[in-house]
Amino acid sequence: MEYQNLKGTHDVILKEAQDYQFIVDLMSDVCRLFSYKLFKVPVIENANLFQRGVGESSDIVRKEMYTFLDKGERLISLRPEFTASIIRSFVNNKLYANSNLPIKAYYHGPVFRYERPQLGRYRQFDQFGVEILGTDSLYFDAEAIILGYTILKQFGLENVKLKINSLGDEESRTSYRNALKEYFSQYIDNMCDDCKQRFKLNPLRILDCKVDTDKEIVRAAPKMSDYLSKDSKIRFKHLKEILDENYIPYEVDDTLVRGLDYYSQTVFEFHYVSKKGFDYGAIGAGGHYSNLINELGGPNLQGVGFSFGIERIYSILKDDELIPNPEYSIDIYVAAIDESANLSAFNVSNLLRMHGFVCDSDYQFHKPSSAIKIALKKQAHYVIFIGEDEINNNQLTIKNLTNQTQDIVKYDDLILYFSEQLEDDHEEN
Ligand code: AMP
């Protein structure tokens, strides 16, 4: 029987894995530029961390969590997102006692959601994100947005659309929730089953509904901006000023409420339409949270964060031909051109690797012509031929595959030879 990967999961292998690494490396570099520290947190947590953290009214908690009893009868979930775990770690490790708040964390890794798999939507996918913990300063909302925007610009993406909105403070959200409740009460019979639930639990979520979102009733619903408290309005105005002053283009989207329960004040999403016109929707999203740290057992501190979906970023980079790195090349391919030379091929390969040269061999006999073909396929810069003559004379035949020249080099001079050659090559590049 052949085993298949589970529905909604995918293998990331070979060139694609290298490209994922390129994405994570670039994002990590930008995070370090902004002075963020890497956090690695467990994939499994107590289920109630997410129930509390992500929110009972969210689709994630209601329908999408991978939750099970472990052998010790504990209710465990695979993480459906990172924010709750990062905050748990911030609280557990008492990082809030640090005199230099905020703590600025970045993270990446797999998350799990039992969604209906479709194009660009998986059950296991990778996220990369940041959390800034222990501050209510608006500057950090702006910093998070600009960090995300900088990452996308560094990839060379041109059509990034940044959508922002304010959900206001507690007071604003309570009056908005009441207004929505009153408004939707007339229409709720015509809405999808999920929205009927959302109406009871948190009517803001109706604005997020994938089924009802295009309906006129949703479009004509009361707008958050009309219910913002004076303070929240000022905060949002300042945020827009900071973005303007730093030349970050954005668009205010009054319907943006985000699928998670914990956001307050600033929320934002990055959207993308590829050069060919394919609309990828949200490729990254986040916002400010006022109460989450406290709700998860920490002190009364605030934070802000966002995350990108790596699969979506990979797709858009591929679509727009922005993955710059060619497939891995190697410095040297080592070929045994006599049956008796397999051991020498092994020993020479090992010697080269010990001196830091990227080198490959299958330690088997090949005719010179087929060895060259293999070397070219592996994008090697040099091929070393080892046959009986070479062994008897304590030397090696080395072909430069770029300019087709060939040298005979004494075994003892091998490392010096490549040190000079590859240094020259790097200078030429
Ligand atoms: P969220 O945590 O829901 O705000 O999602 C953050 C980002 O993760 C989204 O903008 C997407 O890029 C990505 N994402 C969310 N759900 C999925 C999924 N099921 N498959 C792939 N990527 C996803």
Side-chain angles (χ1 to χ4, degrees):
M1 173 188 158
E2 194 180 325
Y3 293 103
Q4 290 294 323
N5 60 314
L6 292 174
K7 201 171 154 188
T9 68
H10 63 132
D11 298 321
V12 181
I13 55 171
L14 302 171
K15 170 79 165 80
E16 193 173 324
Q18 186 192 320
D19 296 341
Y20 269 54
Q21 194 57 46
F22 158 73
I23 292 170
V24 168
D25 286 347
L26 184 143
M27 290 180 169
S28 305
D29 285 348
V30 177
C31 284
R32 285 193 286 267
L33 180 72
F34 281 69
S35 189
Y36 286 61
K37 301 278 187 291
L38 179 64
F39 273 45
K40 285 164 76 75
V41 288
V43 171
I44 48 173
E45 298 271 8
N46 282 308
N48 60 14
L49 173 72
F50 301 117
Q51 281 156 4
R52 192 73 199 260
V54 181
E56 298 283 358
S57 84
S58 66
D59 279 5
I60 294 179
V61 168
R62 288 199 305 119
K63 299 186 289 195
E64 297 170 0
M65 291 241 280
Y66 279 88
T67 299
F68 56 94
L69 279 177
D70 74 1
K71 291 191 199 313
E73 305 275 299
R74 298 172 200 90
L75 198 59
I76 305 284
S77 292
L78 301 183
R79 65 173 172 231
E81 56 112 54
F82 274 87
T83 305
S85 296
I86 301 283
I87 293 179
R88 182 204 45 68
S89 145
F90 173 77
V91 174
N92 282 170
N93 291 289
K94 299 199 171 32
L95 300 183
Y96 51 79
N98 190 309
S99 53
N100 287 322
L101 290 177
I103 298 288
K104 302 203 294 185
Y106 73 95
Y107 59 78
H108 53 86
V111 297
F112 305 83
R113 296 182 190 173
Y114 198 79
E115 294 195 75
R116 201 163 62 78
Q118 49 190 295
L119 189 70
R121 196 165 278 285
Y122 298 94
R123 288 182 173 166
Q124 176 179 337
F125 58 98
D126 278 356
Q127 284 194 333
F128 186 108
V130 304
E131 305 296 339
I132 308 173
L133 302 165
T135 178
D136 64 355
S137 159
L138 176 65
Y139 287 110
F140 286 103
D141 290 10
E143 181 181 300
I145 292 174
I146 293 178
L147 168 61
Y149 190 78
T150 306
I151 286 174
L152 297 175
K153 290 307 268 188
Q154 291 261 326
F155 280 124
L157 294 166
E158 292 301 335
N159 299 332
V160 177
K161 196 187 273 177
L162 166 62
K163 295 186 179 189
I164 61 170
N165 194 21
S166 172
L167 300 181
D169 50 17
E170 197 59 47
E171 179 197 332
S172 321
R173 281 198 314 286
T174 306
S175 49
Y176 185 48
R177 218 174 279 133
N178 291 339
L180 282 181
K181 226 167 173 150
E182 197 182 322
Y183 171 80
F184 281 122
S185 62
Q186 321 158 53
Y187 305 109
I188 197 65
D189 291 343
N190 303 330
M191 303 185 79
C192 74
D193 288 347
D194 274 340
C195 279
K196 290 186 178 116
Q197 281 287 325
R198 293 181 181 118
F199 179 74
K200 284 190 211 136
L201 292 167
N202 182 356
L204 253 82
R205 291 280 85 79
I206 296 177
L207 305 179
D208 246 1
C209 175
K210 292 171 193 112
V211 182
D212 287 330
T213 193
D214 291 333
K215 289 191 182 158
E216 189 50 35
I217 17 176
V218 173
R219 259 189 252 140
K223 299 281 175 255
M224 183 73 233
S225 49
D226 294 328
Y227 295 85
L228 287 182
S229 66
K230 193 161 161 257
D231 285 353
S232 301
K233 265 190 193 144
I234 293 172
R235 189 180 165 103
F236 194 41
K237 183 166 167 277
H238 279 164
L239 174 72
K240 289 184 279 186
E241 284 165 3
I242 299 173
L243 295 178
D244 288 337
E245 285 199 22
N246 288 278
Y247 308 103
I248 306 294
Y250 60 86
E251 142 186 331
V252 175
D253 180 349
D254 228 343
T255 62
L256 187 64
V257 294
R258 308 282 307 112
L260 312 173
D261 277 357
Y262 46 65
Y263 291 119
S264 55
Q265 305 287 8
T266 311
V267 286
F268 55 96
E269 283 184 353
F270 297 102
H271 285 242
Y272 199 73
V273 178
S274 72
K275 283 186 195 144
K276 291 178 201 142
F278 186 79
D279 187 350
Y280 282 88
I283 52 173
H288 181 98
Y289 35 87
S290 305
N291 298 323
L292 188 59
I293 297 177
N294 187 235
E295 273 177 35
L296 295 178
N300 210 351
L301 292 169
Q302 308 194 18
V304 56
F306 73 85
S307 67
F308 284 125
I310 304 271
E311 276 76 359
R312 298 220 184 136
I313 301 272
Y314 171 72
S315 301
I316 60 176
L317 291 177
K318 216 166 151 217
D319 220 5
D320 279 3
E321 295 172 7
L322 287 169
I323 298 182
N325 49 342
E327 201 151 352
Y328 280 134
S329 60
I330 59 171
D331 294 329
I332 305 151
Y333 182 71
V334 181
I337 53 167
D338 273 319
E339 296 284 0
S340 58
N342 294 355
L343 175 61
S344 298
F346 186 94
N347 293 344
V348 166
S349 301
N350 200 40
L351 178 74
L352 288 166
R353 289 170 187 148
M354 293 306 116
H355 284 82
F357 298 106
V358 183
C359 158
D360 202 5
S361 175
D362 61 5
Y363 322 118
Q364 277 184 45
F365 162 73
H366 290 285
K367 282 195 214 134
S369 58
S370 72
I372 289 177
K373 274 193 203 133
I374 300 172
L376 288 173
K377 211 163 169 198
K378 289 181 183 283
Q379 309 205 45
H381 297 119
Y382 294 85
V383 56
I384 299 183
F385 298 111
I386 314 177
E388 244 173 48
D389 281 355
E390 281 80 7
I391 295 174
N392 291 339
N393 297 315
N394 231 348
Q395 64 191 29
L396 302 150
T397 304
I398 302 175
K399 189 176 173 91
N400 180 327
L401 292 170
T402 315
N403 61 21
Q404 304 301 320
T405 53
Q406 198 156 297
D407 288 322
I408 308 276
V409 176
K410 282 275 164 223
Y411 184 84
D412 288 345
D413 295 337
L414 181 66
I415 299 305
L416 184 65
Y417 174 84
F418 277 118
S419 302
E420 287 173 1
Q421 289 289 321
L422 285 162
E423 195 169 296
D424 291 350
D425 285 359
H426 289 162
E427 271 165 20
E428 276 166 29
N429 291 335

